[in-house]
Amino acid sequence: MRADVADRAVDGLDRLAGSGLALTSFWQAATTWVRRVVPFDFFPCWYTLDTVSLLLTGHYNAQLPVADHEVPVITDYLEDRYDPATIHHLPTVSTTEQAAPGDPRRWSTYRSLLAAEDAEHELTALLRENSTCWGAVTLHRATANRPFDGEEVDFLARIAPLLARGTRRALRTAPASCSPRDEAPGVVLLDEHLDVVSATAEAERWMSGLPGGVDASTGRLPWSVLAVAARARRAAHGEKPADTRTASARVPSRSHGWVALHGSPLHGSPELRISVVLDSASPGSRRELLLRASGLSDREHEVAGLVTRGYSTREIARMLCLSPYTVQDHLKAVFAKTGVHSRRELISAGALAP
């Protein structure tokens, strides 16, 4: 790997991350820069993840559409590999040879899927910035080619924060419109195999704006709906804590702003049934997303969170063992990054954000 080529790519990606491009446009342009340093054989798979539950909320690949039967395999694999309890201990970049998900059966199924596509060599980078994970990107090489080497792993780790920054900025502006607050929630009912049993008309409207949309002719659902349902299914089987908060995701919609998805297994039926409820994200959830998407440092995010809960500067200083002047400095940075001008505006940000 030539150092000058790598340095130029880093500079190019740094400028690109601050350009404000829409999400897929940013990923397409970033792909060009990455390929100059790390050769790969197929267009990368880009993913967005919920920042709290780490459930998959979107997928993009410009050249290789994912077949219907592949969606559950990939969703289960990502669900197994990226657990919120362990994500902060995982390396930013790993290869197929280094990855070791918890369930060998899912790992074997996923490896078989890669082999069927002649793409057994995989390099994955988490898109993390300030301890927040916005997504992931995977590069693939054909089975007959050489695996990704250490220099390539190090380069991808070097640029992962830049890819995260560009993804974060795009997601902040992604929801262009917002649904009426009185629009009824939608409900989708799925069976053990995540096939649709029934869905309300409202659910069809909510899903139509989600990444990937809904295909009535094949019954395919958005990736985010399948990911939430898969985690609820695993909870029903005792593979995940029976905590409904873990089977939740916030997803940017083309037509409904930020949409909240909640999955849970239904009881009282001889066969397993999973329900997924779709509704507008709450003001508190939208505010939390705005704070994260504004690129706050961990300390700034902590201060902002306490402000929105009604604590004064002196109370925050005492709780965080800081001086009131330091708290004010953090608050000024929060105002500048989020575009608000007062505590009241910050507290109201959830109601104003799309």
Side-chain angles (χ1 to χ4, degrees):
M1 178 185 298
R2 288 180 49 184
D4 58 331
V5 175
D7 289 343
R8 282 197 297 271
V10 171
D11 291 341
L13 286 166
D14 188 26
R15 293 191 299 271
L16 188 66
S19 64
L21 286 175
L23 190 59
T24 55
S25 297
F26 170 71
W27 283 346
Q28 286 176 333
T31 296
T32 301
W33 281 109
V34 174
R35 191 191 290 272
R36 295 177 183 179
V37 183
V38 183
F40 46 84
D41 295 319
F42 310 97
F43 193 90
C45 292
W46 295 87
Y47 303 99
T48 52
L49 304 174
D50 181 85
T51 57
V52 175
S53 66
L54 296 182
L55 285 172
L56 185 144
T57 58
H59 166 267
Y60 175 70
N61 186 304
Q63 296 176 353
L64 292 174
V66 177
D68 288 349
H69 72 278
E70 296 175 339
V71 175
V73 175
I74 298 173
T75 301
D76 264 348
Y77 167 70
L78 292 174
E79 157 74 358
D80 200 52
R81 185 170 182 178
Y82 300 124
D83 189 306
T86 60
I87 188 72
H88 299 299
H89 304 294
L90 294 178
T92 298
V93 180
S94 60
T95 65
T96 43
E97 290 76 19
Q98 297 168 329
D103 190 333
R105 294 169 300 174
R106 290 192 176 90
W107 180 225
S108 176
T109 302
Y110 182 71
R111 287 297 296 268
S112 297
L113 181 64
L114 294 181
E117 299 291 342
D118 189 32
E120 286 197 77
H121 302 307
E122 182 180 83
L123 183 63
T124 301
L126 292 171
L127 308 185
R128 288 191 292 208
E129 184 187 41
N130 293 331
S131 75
T132 297
C133 185
W134 295 98
V137 59
T138 60
L139 312 180
H140 297 93
R141 281 183 182 150
T143 305
N145 287 346
R146 65 175 178 85
F148 295 95
D149 62 30
E151 278 192 325
E152 292 165 331
V153 169
D154 292 343
F155 174 77
L156 205 58
R158 182 182 175 189
I159 64 170
L162 302 177
L163 302 177
R165 192 203 322 160
T167 299
R168 167 182 62 77
R169 288 173 62 93
L171 286 173
R172 181 181 178 182
T173 58
S177 61
C178 197
S179 63
R181 292 290 184 259
D182 59 355
E183 183 167 347
V187 181
V188 183
L189 190 64
L190 302 102
D191 63 16
E192 168 78 17
H193 306 290
L194 304 187
D195 293 324
V196 176
V197 175
S198 60
T200 64
E202 291 85 358
E204 298 283 351
R205 289 196 292 272
W206 285 102
M207 290 190 294
S208 66
L210 298 180
V214 57
D215 189 338
S217 64
T218 64
R220 173 186 276 195
L221 299 174
W223 285 62
S224 52
V225 174
L226 290 172
V228 167
R231 180 166 290 182
R233 179 178 63 182
R234 295 182 71 177
H237 290 161
E239 298 180 50
K240 282 282 180 180
D243 182 347
T244 56
R245 292 173 298 177
T246 67
S248 301
R250 290 81 48 87
V251 188
S253 166
R254 296 187 302 273
S255 56
H256 291 78
W258 282 96
V259 178
L261 280 64
H262 305 281
S264 57
L266 299 182
H267 301 285
S269 172
E271 298 179 342
L272 179 62
R273 293 289 184 264
I274 305 293
S275 72
V276 177
V277 178
L278 301 93
D279 199 0
S280 181
S282 69
S285 184
R286 292 196 301 275
R287 180 171 55 238
E288 191 265 343
L289 284 164
L290 171 65
L291 295 178
R292 289 186 181 276
S294 297
L296 304 185
S297 69
D298 291 342
R299 181 63 88 183
E300 290 163 356
H301 191 274
E302 192 173 17
V303 169
L306 292 171
V307 167
T308 61
R309 290 162 58 188
Y311 291 103
S312 69
T313 296
R314 289 189 178 278
E315 289 172 325
I316 295 172
R318 188 164 53 251
M319 294 169 70
L320 301 182
C321 299
L322 302 172
S323 74
Y325 298 106
T326 300
V327 172
Q328 289 286 37
D329 287 341
H330 285 312
L331 203 49
K332 289 177 183 177
V334 170
F335 290 166
K337 291 179 179 180
T338 58
V340 303
H341 304 90
S342 67
R343 288 170 175 262
R344 179 173 296 180
E345 285 187 28
L346 185 62
I347 294 172
S348 303
L352 299 174

